[in-house]
Amino acid sequence: MVENNDKNIPTLGAIRRLGKYLQILLSLRNEESEFVSASRLSRELGIHETQIRRDLALTGCEGRPKVGHNRDELIWAIQNYLNLNNTNDAFLVGAGHLGNALLAYNAHGRFSSTGIKIIAAFDINPAVVGQKIHGIEVFHLSKMRNLAKRMGVHVGIITTSPESAQEVADLMVEAGIIGIWNFALSNLNLPSHIILENAEMESGLAIISRRLKEQLRNNSQRR
Amino acid sequence: MVENNDKNIPTLGAIRRLGKYLQILLSLRNEESEFVSASRLSRELGIHETQIRRDLALTGCEGRPKVGHNRDELIWAIQNYLNLNNTNDAFLVGAGHLGNALLAYNAHGRFSSTGIKIIAAFDINPAVVGQKIHGIEVFHLSKMRNLAKRMGVHVGIITTSPESAQEVADLMVEAGIIGIWNFALSNLNLPSHIILENAEMESGLAIISRRLKEQLRNNSQRR
DNA sequence: TAGATTGTTAATCGATTAACAATC
DNA sequence: TAGATTGTTAATCGATTAACAATC
């Protein structure tokens, strides 16, 4: 009765991969066959077959030997496992360039695959407060706390400057938000129960930069 | 003479962490002491001390027992190791919302910590072609190939819709680009020598969503 | 049936952490 | 000196892959 984590604890990697499987599965919805095998997904994504089986097992969806998994059943299982069925509402703070981009993504449903939906934005800049951006109203930051409590919002997205990030995060915690997606380049100091994900966008670029250096060096050596 | 990778092969994780150390070190530049210990970084970032020592060893920068590492020397070593000293020029394709946000970041120097600088943008939309966005000119996509070859650009950033991403990526490869940072939600099919990093922005959100589910469930059980 | 596919147990691999001698 | 910190070797941990029996 005490410990009851249905299966195993999902690893971060597994969650990311499940998202990819889902993406592929959704794109295959117009195919004739209603079955998709792990082998098929493996070929499509270049991920090891066994790994895919492992990941799929997490969702509790069982496949049939020789045929594979029922596509729609699997879609449902992954969506359920990733909590995409019952959407969580989110607040975004910082209606600058990146905030705008995220609101556009939100409007185009790109985040629907994550189970999170932005329902309001906040800023302190009078030029944007009161406006609607991609269908989402921008309120003054001072209203966030009350609105969050009133609407039971649990997720916050920070797209402010690094200087304001800590302050905004503190406000969010006060407002009862427990999951924070931080795009500002700063190490936030938060209570341990808060779920913090740093977007760290640029780390991808840094990796490319490093690899490029290796590759260019190798080429010049070989020549 | 054949194999000559100065130290070990850096792991992806190590590269990400080195970026964080660098960030902290830069923010400490105004401090009195010119020495920073791994223990200090450990406290600051919550990363295991030994791990930090491992990572720092990659850069070849040696510390002094009892005092730590010379701050500026370490900054230099990390920047050098991550190839931040000799900047790589990059092209961005897709001057939409996200493209705009990245160009703003570029202008504000947020990518300078990655050693990559966007020097031109491309699109096919007549409304933006010819304009300057955050100081960067937007050319018609048809000009990319020649410009890339002429300017020796090796890095491409894709911020188009998922539908156009493959086509743009192919164009980039033809143009001699070997490192691609892809923000479009699509599995690109590319020659194996191409360095591909998928930004997968939303995976952070997905993780928050999953964790939130666990936490809310636990809370309600406990009650 | 035969063969493809599943799901699980065991083996491998790699990254993180612990332990400790070296050193200033 | 004594104590803090380094850097490395060994131990642990976790995730990925291999091997294989079960099954439709």
Side-chain angles (χ1 to χ4, degrees):
Chain A
M1 224 263 172
V2 182
E3 209 75 36
N4 190 22
N5 285 8
D6 12 338
K7 292 257 170 180
N8 306 347
I9 330 97
T11 74
L12 245 81
I15 292 180
R16 286 215 182 82
R17 288 191 300 269
L18 281 165
K20 293 193 186 176
Y21 309 152
L22 181 57
Q23 198 185 309
I24 300 281
L25 289 166
L26 291 172
S27 75
L28 296 179
R29 266 182 307 186
N30 47 0
E31 286 211 348
E32 342 69 53
S33 167
E34 52 176 328
F35 289 95
V36 180
S37 70
S39 336
R40 168 82 186 273
L41 289 174
S42 171
R43 254 172 285 124
E44 207 93 38
L45 286 164
I47 294 177
H48 198 283
E49 213 168 308
T50 307
Q51 175 123 257
I52 294 179
R53 299 229 169 80
R54 268 263 149 87
D55 293 337
L56 297 185
L58 289 171
T59 69
C61 176
E62 293 183 353
R64 280 205 269 155
K66 189 162 156 114
V67 283
H69 295 255
N70 179 293
R71 194 206 317 115
D72 296 329
E73 210 172 285
L74 190 51
I75 288 177
W76 184 89
I78 295 179
Q79 287 179 332
N80 184 53
Y81 186 75
L82 294 178
N83 197 26
L84 308 186
N85 295 328
N86 47 341
T87 311
N88 281 294
D89 292 338
F91 280 175
L92 179 144
V93 177
H97 290 289
L98 185 59
N100 260 264
L102 294 186
L103 288 170
Y105 273 22
N106 185 57
H108 287 93
R110 178 156 167 181
F111 297 147
S112 66
S113 72
T114 69
I116 289 178
K117 199 173 66 185
I118 301 173
I119 58 164
F122 298 86
D123 208 309
I124 51 170
N125 180 356
V128 292
V129 170
Q131 303 245 322
K132 273 205 172 190
I133 300 177
H134 300 289
I136 301 297
E137 188 160 357
V138 183
F139 298 94
H140 193 275
L141 184 57
S142 59
K143 302 215 172 131
M144 183 179 71
R145 195 182 148 152
N146 279 331
L147 276 176
K149 295 207 166 170
R150 178 134 44 93
M151 306 176 86
V153 169
H154 294 306
V155 178
I157 302 172
I158 300 178
T159 50
T160 64
S161 66
E163 295 78 41
S164 322
Q166 179 67 55
E167 199 182 335
V168 168
D170 291 341
L171 259 171
M172 284 179 170
V173 172
E174 264 185 65
I177 279 174
I178 51 185
I180 294 181
W181 196 25
N182 176 39
F183 279 84
L185 194 58
S186 58
N187 289 291
L188 299 182
N189 222 300
L190 296 171
S192 62
H193 72 281
I194 300 293
I195 302 160
L196 172 67
E197 276 289 318
N198 287 301
E200 284 173 34
M201 280 216 297
E202 49 280 334
S203 71
L205 256 197
I207 290 164
I208 290 176
S209 180
R210 187 77 208 347
R211 292 254 172 85
L212 207 58
K213 183 184 181 182
E214 281 164 28
Q215 196 151 322
L216 294 175
R217 183 177 50 207
N218 290 347
N219 282 352
S220 63
Q221 274 176 357
R222 208 171 294 136
R223 202 171 296 144
Chain B
M1 224 262 173
V2 182
E3 209 74 37
N4 190 21
N5 285 7
D6 14 336
K7 293 259 170 178
N8 305 347
I9 330 97
T11 74
L12 245 82
I15 293 180
R16 286 217 183 81
R17 288 191 299 270
L18 281 166
K20 292 192 188 177
Y21 308 152
L22 181 56
Q23 199 185 307
I24 300 282
L25 290 167
L26 290 173
S27 75
L28 295 180
R29 266 182 307 185
N30 48 1
E31 286 211 349
E32 342 68 53
S33 167
E34 52 176 328
F35 289 94
V36 181
S37 69
S39 337
R40 168 82 185 274
L41 289 173
S42 172
R43 254 173 283 125
E44 207 93 37
L45 287 163
I47 294 176
H48 198 283
E49 214 169 307
T50 307
Q51 174 123 257
I52 294 180
R53 299 230 169 80
R54 268 263 149 87
D55 294 336
L56 296 185
L58 289 170
T59 69
C61 175
E62 293 183 352
R64 280 204 269 156
K66 188 161 157 122
V67 283
H69 295 254
N70 178 293
R71 194 206 317 115
D72 297 328
E73 211 173 283
L74 190 51
I75 288 177
W76 184 89
I78 295 178
Q79 287 178 332
N80 183 54
Y81 185 76
L82 294 178
N83 197 26
L84 308 185
N85 294 329
N86 47 341
T87 311
N88 281 293
D89 291 339
F91 280 175
L92 179 144
V93 177
H97 290 291
L98 186 59
N100 260 265
L102 293 186
L103 289 171
Y105 273 22
N106 185 58
H108 286 91
R110 178 156 167 181
F111 297 148
S112 65
S113 73
T114 70
I116 289 178
K117 199 174 67 187
I118 302 173
I119 58 164
F122 298 86
D123 208 308
I124 50 170
N125 180 357
V128 291
V129 170
Q131 303 245 321
K132 273 205 171 191
I133 300 178
H134 299 288
I136 301 296
E137 189 160 356
V138 183
F139 298 93
H140 192 275
L141 184 57
S142 60
K143 302 215 172 134
M144 182 180 69
R145 196 183 147 152
N146 278 332
L147 274 176
K149 295 206 167 170
R150 177 135 44 94
M151 306 176 85
V153 169
H154 294 307
V155 178
I157 303 172
I158 301 178
T159 50
T160 64
S161 66
E163 296 78 41
S164 323
Q166 180 67 54
E167 199 183 333
V168 168
D170 291 341
L171 259 171
M172 284 180 170
V173 172
E174 263 185 64
I177 279 174
I178 50 186
I180 294 180
W181 196 25
N182 175 40
F183 279 85
L185 196 56
S186 59
N187 288 292
L188 299 183
N189 223 299
L190 296 171
S192 62
H193 72 280
I194 300 293
I195 302 160
L196 172 67
E197 276 290 317
N198 287 300
E200 284 173 33
M201 281 216 296
E202 48 280 333
S203 71
L205 256 197
I207 289 165
I208 290 176
S209 179
R210 186 78 210 340
R211 292 255 172 85
L212 208 56
K213 183 183 181 183
E214 282 165 27
Q215 195 151 325
L216 294 174
R217 184 178 49 209
N218 289 348
N219 282 351
S220 63
Q221 275 177 358
R222 208 170 295 136
R223 202 170 294 144

